[in-house]
Amino acid sequence: MPDLERFRADLRDWLDSHAPKALMGAPGNELEGVWGGRKATWSDPDRKHWLELCAERGFTAPEWPRAYGGGGLSRDEARVLRQELAQRKLPPPLIGFGLTMIGPVLLQFGTEEQKQEHLPKVCRGEIRWCQGYSEPGAGSDLAGLQCRAVLDGDHYVINGQKIWTSYADQSDWMFCLVRTDPSAKKQAGITFLLFDMETPGVSVKPIPLISGSSPFCETFLTDVRVPTRNVVGQVNGGWTVAKALLAHERTMIADAFGGGAGIGKGRGIAGWAHDYVEFEPDGRLGDASLRHRIAQTEMDTRAFVLTTQRARDAAKAGHGPGAASSLFKIYGTELNQRRMELLVAIAGPQALGWEGAGFDERELDLTRQWLRSRGNTIEGGTSEIQLNIIAKHVLGLPD
Amino acid sequence: MQLVLTEEQELLAKTASDFVREHSPLARVRALRDRRDEVGFSRALWKQMAELGWVGIRLPEAYGGAGMGMADLAVVLEQLGRRLAPEPFLSTVLLGSEALRLAGSEAQQRAWLPGVAAGERLLTLAWQEARSRFDPCRIETWAEPDGSEFVLTGEKIQVPDAPVADAIVVAARTGGSARDETGITLFLVPRDAAGVSITRQTRIDHRNAGLVRLDGVRVGADAVLGDPGDGGRLLQRVVDHATAGLCAEMLGAMSQVFDDTLEYLKTRLQFGVPIGSFQGLKHRAARLFMELELARSATMAAVRAVDEEAPDLARLVSLAKARCSDAFVLAANEAVQMFGGVGMTDEYDVGFYMKRARVAEMCFGDAAWHRERWARLGGY
């Protein structure tokens, strides 16, 4: 593939002469990095520069069409880009729900006008998106949502409440599920629409979590007026759009957690253990049960990574996905939880610090991450809901 | 490494799947068991499999083989595993001829491999002893040098297909002590050598296996495979390759028993509805599906690591065997539970899978043993 090799060579030249050296080795994955948006604050000018450089070449959304601000790259070229960034330990220039959730959905369901309006702003990091799905009475039973939208001329008027809206307080626009036909069967009366968070009647309140900080908010919608042209897909046909978006969300969450991200990644779990438990002179970890738990977690991680690779290879060979995205969501998040539990077990009493004296930064960070990780199997569709999806759609078991 | 079947492998899988449907239903395994068949498999079918090119699939073309890879063989083994075909792939293809392929002299290869590829001669490898448990290098069978010859004494257990093998590759100690990897030598011992006695063993899966007693068996230097004293590494390599192949067979069996269970969940009625509509069973089935998917990924990586001589072959093989052992046992146990009372009867087939799962689990080390090995290879 000479074309691909030429692409790689050009890319290397460009990265070597342009990418900020200070960013090499900086952390970053789907949930950690530059989110952009109107409220973005730039503590690190290199990050801003890196975003602008990449946006100019369409590298924030490598596989999206150039017409919408993407890079227009083939799947192979995008893979080369990921490889070259990873090799230089460069963080992704931009992350967020615009790229991972609403963008792919607009590409599939959006009107030409909607694509033109929203996608370039996503690519340039100008607009940050949040997800208005869950409600106090509609969690796992998402289709039971009650947030009402009533047609008034060429606008919908929305009244209701959303909950667990990640980063609503820092976002600029919301993609939202509302009930437009209360008399229809519950999935049939839902519409998917978009609105600016600065629209009058939108108010947001953060929800503190057991881990102290929180990305989650309650969002209250009172007489919020949204133009009808902001409906994505069909009126009352929002459930189809909603489900497509959920598949993207599951994939994003699995990608973020499954590869053994976070604490202990560099040195491995055994490396982390060196600071807390006895090793024998020959390098062997003396505690057999701990040794087995570490091996088990490492092996689960390797098998999971191989499974994501297999799904990619199968898709590339045109075989369709080897396994459902639900599998990756369940396994990736549970694996992250097992990993956190194991790191806590290894650190022992040093994992109990909330703040202050006697605990170092890594330990305090672990404690918060462990607490936070308990939500991984709830958000984005609980593991139990994912198991239902596998049972019905993959295994064909009856309702 | 690409974790996807090539078009040729897809075709091979189809051929093997059709073959199993036509010639190898589970009823065949049941019949062999019920009549206490001494051979334990069908020599006629073995011959057919050889004619299809499966027996010599990994052997050089010069010896009548197809010169293909472990990933190709794995495709066949998976399909045969679906209905527990008991033909001697493990003994003859994965162990005996693999040792010869890797370390045999030209004379040894020429003497044995064409007959193997033609389906006319059977080989096996005797490594396990009463006190070995899962460690292939825990060997007390002794090979005493006597001039240019060696005299072998010891007993090997559960040697696959030993009662019908034409020759046995025997792992014996020419130095070192019981647990050392060094000091092991592999010998190719003809079954009719003086001092060899073989007794058929009956295990829960009823596949052919035997006790091999070596009572002062005298062999020449030309029986040595590879370098004397350096057989431990060779043995480990053969066992790793064979383990990857065994995982493919296990994958087929666990996939089939899972498919059969799903079918039962969809058709068995209680309280007026299919039992597969109950969430208590749905979620267990979905979790089992995930375990099977991970076992498949690990197995595909392990068989490709054999073909690519990957540096982390040993770890990938341990990963695959640990996952396949756990997943197969779980799939079989869950099958019996979900079939309910009839799952406990001999009339239904699920019991065959549960028994085969145990034997396969114990072969080359169970999951805990491979996790321990993973840790050791990782330096902790």
Side-chain angles (χ1 to χ4, degrees):
Chain A
M1 282 183 286
D3 284 350
L4 196 59
E5 287 317 303
R6 196 171 314 119
F7 172 79
R8 188 189 293 274
D10 292 347
L11 180 63
R12 283 179 173 170
D13 286 346
W14 184 78
L15 287 172
D16 291 339
S17 54
H18 288 82
K21 299 278 179 289
L23 286 187
M24 295 188 182
N29 61 37
E30 276 72 2
L31 293 178
E32 191 182 352
V34 170
W35 293 77
R38 297 191 291 237
K39 297 174 190 161
T41 52
W42 300 95
S43 53
D44 182 353
D46 279 331
R47 292 258 185 181
K48 187 161 191 280
H49 181 52
W50 177 228
L51 168 59
E52 287 163 357
L53 277 175
C54 287
E56 200 180 297
R57 297 196 58 143
F59 286 174
T60 52
E63 292 179 59
W64 294 7
R66 294 195 67 87
Y68 306 130
L73 302 188
S74 68
R75 191 172 289 184
D76 283 333
E77 288 168 339
R79 179 171 47 84
V80 167
L81 175 62
R82 280 196 301 275
Q83 286 169 351
E84 294 298 322
L85 293 182
Q87 201 173 21
R88 288 164 181 75
K89 294 195 166 60
L90 280 163
L94 180 69
I95 60 171
F97 306 151
L99 290 175
T100 52
M101 292 200 260
I102 186 64
V105 159
L106 283 179
L107 283 171
Q108 188 181 352
F109 296 98
T111 62
E112 187 55 34
E113 187 193 0
Q114 286 167 342
K115 292 181 204 175
Q116 294 283 1
E117 180 185 354
H118 296 295
L119 296 179
K121 291 177 190 166
V122 167
C123 293
R124 292 195 298 266
E126 291 169 5
I127 292 296
R128 180 168 176 177
W129 286 84
C130 63
Q131 177 184 28
Y133 266 40
S134 296
E135 295 178 10
S140 285
D141 182 15
L142 180 62
L145 59 93
Q146 296 297 323
C147 191
R148 276 284 276 140
V150 177
L151 193 61
D152 178 23
D154 57 358
H155 279 69
Y156 279 102
V157 179
I158 308 176
N159 278 286
Q161 184 192 342
K162 292 291 171 180
I163 196 167
W164 309 120
T165 327
S166 302
Y167 305 110
D169 53 343
Q170 295 165 55
S171 295
D172 308 309
W173 275 69
M174 175 183 276
F175 51 91
C176 189
L177 296 180
V178 293
R179 184 156 302 284
T180 38
D181 183 355
S183 61
K185 180 173 167 269
K186 62 184 185 180
Q187 281 88 353
I190 293 171
T191 298
F192 188 108
L193 46 74
L194 316 172
F195 59 81
D196 191 320
M197 294 293 277
E198 286 180 3
T199 313
V202 178
S203 76
V204 169
K205 186 177 149 205
I207 307 169
L209 289 192
I210 55 175
S211 52
S213 63
S214 164
F216 294 114
C217 297
E218 292 176 285
T219 305
F220 301 92
L221 306 169
T222 312
D223 294 331
V224 177
R225 293 182 68 82
V226 177
T228 50
R229 64 181 161 82
N230 285 7
V231 170
V232 179
Q234 302 296 313
V235 172
N236 295 327
W239 189 245
T240 308
V241 185
K243 281 192 296 184
L245 186 134
L246 285 171
H248 292 297
E249 182 182 18
R250 290 195 289 269
T251 305
M252 177 197 70
I253 293 173
D255 283 352
F257 293 121
I263 293 172
K265 189 174 187 182
R267 291 192 303 160
I269 306 173
W272 170 264
H274 268 279
D275 294 348
Y276 298 97
V277 297
E278 297 265 331
F279 279 68
E280 287 163 9
D282 63 357
R284 192 174 169 78
L285 203 172
D287 181 333
S289 75
L290 201 52
R291 195 167 67 231
H292 278 238
R293 274 182 75 184
I294 294 174
Q296 176 82 64
T297 305
E298 284 186 356
M299 293 168 90
D300 287 350
T301 305
R302 185 74 184 268
F304 181 71
V305 170
L306 286 168
T307 304
T308 57
Q309 186 198 329
R310 181 158 70 87
R312 274 200 308 277
D313 290 347
K316 210 165 72 183
H319 291 290
S325 60
S326 294
L327 181 158
F328 298 115
K329 204 282 176 179
I330 299 172
Y331 206 90
T333 54
E334 291 184 349
L335 180 58
N336 189 51
Q337 290 178 340
R338 282 204 295 281
R339 188 182 173 83
M340 288 298 158
E341 297 285 350
L342 177 55
L343 291 168
V344 164
I346 290 169
Q350 286 307 108
L352 297 178
W354 183 254
E355 60 190 17
F359 305 100
D360 69 28
E361 205 173 309
R362 285 181 332 151
E363 288 162 353
L364 293 171
D365 192 29
L366 167 65
T367 308
R368 303 296 180 111
Q369 284 196 38
W370 154 64
L371 285 164
R372 177 65 186 83
S373 74
R374 301 312 308 175
N376 298 161
T377 47
I378 303 167
E379 58 205 318
T382 62
S383 291
E384 289 72 20
I385 289 292
Q386 309 303 331
L387 290 168
N388 285 349
I389 293 174
I390 292 178
K392 180 171 179 176
H393 295 290
V394 182
L395 306 181
L397 291 173
D399 278 328
Chain B
M1 184 183 291
Q2 290 282 312
L3 298 182
V4 64
L5 297 190
T6 63
E7 274 178 39
E8 294 77 18
Q9 286 163 350
E10 297 272 8
L11 271 172
L12 188 56
K14 174 81 169 60
T15 309
S17 167
D18 291 346
F19 183 90
V20 167
R21 193 168 328 107
E22 194 174 339
H23 300 292
S24 186
L26 204 109
R28 185 171 73 91
V29 180
R30 184 185 289 277
L32 286 164
R33 181 198 69 174
D34 290 348
R35 66 168 184 263
R36 296 175 179 276
D37 190 285
E38 272 305 307
V39 173
F41 59 86
S42 159
R43 286 188 189 273
L45 271 192
W46 183 245
K47 187 82 182 147
Q48 277 190 49
M49 292 175 182
E51 281 158 13
L52 284 163
W54 298 346
V55 174
I57 196 165
R58 277 189 20 93
L59 296 177
E61 289 174 31
Y63 298 130
M68 292 161 78
M70 183 63 91
D72 305 299
L73 174 58
V75 164
V76 174
L77 291 175
E78 181 184 341
Q79 294 305 322
L80 294 175
R82 282 192 161 259
R83 290 300 181 202
L84 307 180
E87 275 60 36
F89 275 96
L90 179 65
S91 56
T92 300
V93 176
L94 291 169
L95 289 168
S97 68
E98 184 68 4
L100 271 166
R101 197 183 69 84
L102 289 173
S105 67
E106 208 195 319
Q108 287 167 330
Q109 292 186 348
R110 200 181 355 234
W112 287 97
L113 297 184
V116 166
E120 285 157 5
R121 307 185 83 171
L122 301 176
L123 299 173
T124 190
L125 188 148
W127 74 104
Q128 205 170 19
E129 301 179 2
R131 279 147 58 90
S132 305
R133 200 156 182 270
F134 299 132
D135 184 355
C137 292
R138 173 124 194 207
I139 286 171
E140 293 174 19
T141 294
W142 195 255
E144 188 68 35
D146 181 17
S148 67
E149 299 186 322
F150 295 86
V151 180
L152 277 59
T153 305
E155 186 175 60
K156 300 287 183 180
I157 66 163
Q158 299 187 28
V159 181
D161 300 309
V164 289
D166 297 294
I168 303 170
V169 177
V170 175
R173 205 159 268 297
T174 46
S177 58
R179 285 167 181 275
D180 294 345
E181 194 187 90
T182 56
I184 295 169
T185 304
L186 300 192
F187 298 92
L188 185 62
V189 181
R191 69 165 294 115
D192 50 11
V196 175
S197 56
I198 300 168
T199 313
R200 174 80 142 94
Q201 288 185 282
T202 308
R203 296 184 296 182
I204 51 177
D205 68 346
H206 288 80
R207 285 213 186 168
N208 196 324
L211 286 169
V212 176
R213 184 184 298 279
L214 302 149
D215 197 4
V217 177
R218 187 168 285 273
V219 293
D222 60 352
V224 173
L225 282 181
D227 297 321
D230 197 31
R233 279 191 305 175
L234 172 60
L235 175 62
Q236 191 59 68
R237 201 163 156 222
V238 173
V239 166
D240 271 341
H241 291 191
T243 306
L246 176 64
C247 285
E249 185 212 310
M250 294 167 81
L251 193 63
M254 69 179 94
S255 301
Q256 186 63 55
V257 75
F258 181 58
D259 289 351
D260 293 348
T261 306
L262 282 179
E263 186 57 32
Y264 191 77
L265 292 178
K266 290 172 191 174
T267 49
R268 165 72 175 169
L269 301 180
Q270 285 290 275
F271 307 101
V273 293
I275 59 173
S277 64
F278 301 136
Q279 207 171 37
L281 296 181
K282 271 184 183 171
H283 283 193
R284 278 161 61 182
R287 288 203 174 272
L288 195 47
F289 164 76
M290 297 201 299
E291 290 304 324
L292 262 53
E293 287 296 319
L294 268 72
R296 178 172 297 279
S297 310
T299 300
M300 289 179 84
V303 298
R304 280 157 184 74
V306 172
D307 288 333
E308 295 172 15
E309 299 183 27
D312 57 350
L313 166 68
R315 279 198 127 190
L316 285 172
V317 165
S318 278
L319 178 66
K321 186 57 170 51
R323 290 220 90 85
C324 285
S325 294
D326 279 346
F328 190 6
V329 168
L330 181 67
N333 285 350
E334 286 286 73
V336 170
Q337 179 68 22
M338 291 185 191
F339 271 82
V342 296
M344 284 298 292
T345 64
D346 188 59
E347 183 194 341
Y348 274 66
D349 290 340
V350 285
F352 282 77
Y353 288 91
M354 198 172 82
K355 291 166 181 171
R356 179 60 195 152
R358 279 293 156 185
V359 176
E361 176 201 24
M362 300 284 181
C363 187
F364 306 134
D366 65 3
W369 195 82
H370 281 283
R371 282 195 285 274
E372 181 72 11
R373 182 170 180 240
W374 172 280
R376 196 168 65 243
L377 291 167
Y380 62 91

